[in-house]
Amino acid sequence: MSIAIDQRVPENLRVPATGDQTLGPADFKGRIVVLYFYPKDSTPGCTNESRDFAANQAAFDAAGAVILGVSRDSVKSHENFRAKQELPFDLLSDGDETLCDAFDVIKMKNMYGKQVRGIERSTFVIDADGVLRKEWRKVKVPGHVDEVLAAVRELAGS
């Protein structure tokens, strides 16, 4: 069962992350959390989306929000992707699909005419009390980060 809007995000959702950490949304109580799920490190759409979030880091910081990227890639892959793209936020490695299942982002997709299970590009905003307040599914990258930032600013009252 996936987490629905206005539901509290379970505190036990923690996965390996960059920087030799284990993190989850509950680690950021008191701050707004932007949790964006993307299919794969170092692919064009995922790189553009991550760069867009990175380019707006200061604005998210000013609104009291932390950004976390999530995919099923390994921490090592995330470390390389993060370094190459100079991402100023942590990436979470969800190899066992703990977070993916909780937010229901694993879908059947068509890749080159074949059905494959993969992450549907999605973003979630969790308020400072740990409650899911906003979600975007089937995200198209252009303009997406601006929408998320507007929602975060509204939530923060700024």
Side-chain angles (χ1 to χ4, degrees), residues 37 70-72 94 97-106 119:
F37 289 82
V70 185
S71 82
R72 297 182 298 176
D94 195 21
E97 300 180 1
T98 302
L99 287 172
C100 289
D101 288 345
F103 287 91
D104 191 29
V105 298
I106 298 288
I119 292 178

Side-chain angles (χ1 to χ4, degrees), residues 2-10 25 33-35 37 102-104 123-137 155:
S2 69
I3 301 161
I5 296 289
D6 297 330
Q7 259 190 341
R8 184 168 300 284
V9 175
V33 175
V34 174
L35 196 61
F37 289 82
F103 287 91
D104 191 29
T123 302
F124 301 87
V125 174
I126 301 161
D127 73 12
D129 296 320
V131 176
L132 179 62
R133 295 297 180 193
K134 190 101 174 120
E135 68 180 20
W136 292 262
R137 295 183 180 272
L155 198 56

Side-chain angles (χ1 to χ4, degrees), residues 15 35-41 43 45-46 49 69-74 78 92-111 116-124 136-139:
V15 297
L35 196 61
Y36 77 98
F37 289 82
Y38 62 96
K40 189 141 184 61
D41 288 344
T43 56
C46 301
E49 182 179 26
V70 185
S71 82
R72 297 182 298 176
D73 293 303
S74 68
H78 279 345
L92 308 182
S93 175
D94 195 21
D96 66 1
E97 300 180 1
T98 302
L99 287 172
C100 289
D101 288 345
F103 287 91
D104 191 29
V105 298
I106 298 288
K107 305 291 180 192
M108 291 306 291
K109 302 172 5 175
N110 280 316
M111 295 270 297
V116 295
R117 280 177 78 252
I119 292 178
E120 177 180 78
R121 191 179 310 281
S122 307
T123 302
F124 301 87
W136 292 262
R137 295 183 180 272
K138 297 183 182 174
V139 167

Side-chain angles (χ1 to χ4, degrees), residues 5 17 21 25 31 38 53 82 89 93 98 112-113 129 145 156:
I5 296 289
Q21 307 172 84
R31 295 189 71 190
Y38 62 96
F53 274 113
R82 186 177 177 212
F89 45 80
S93 175
T98 302
Y112 308 109
D129 296 320
V145 170

Side-chain angles (χ1 to χ4, degrees), residues 16 18 43 57 61 64 66 76 80 83 92 103 116 146:
T18 50
T43 56
Q57 177 75 48
D61 285 346
V66 62
K76 185 176 184 344
N80 293 337
L92 308 182
F103 287 91
V116 295
D146 295 333

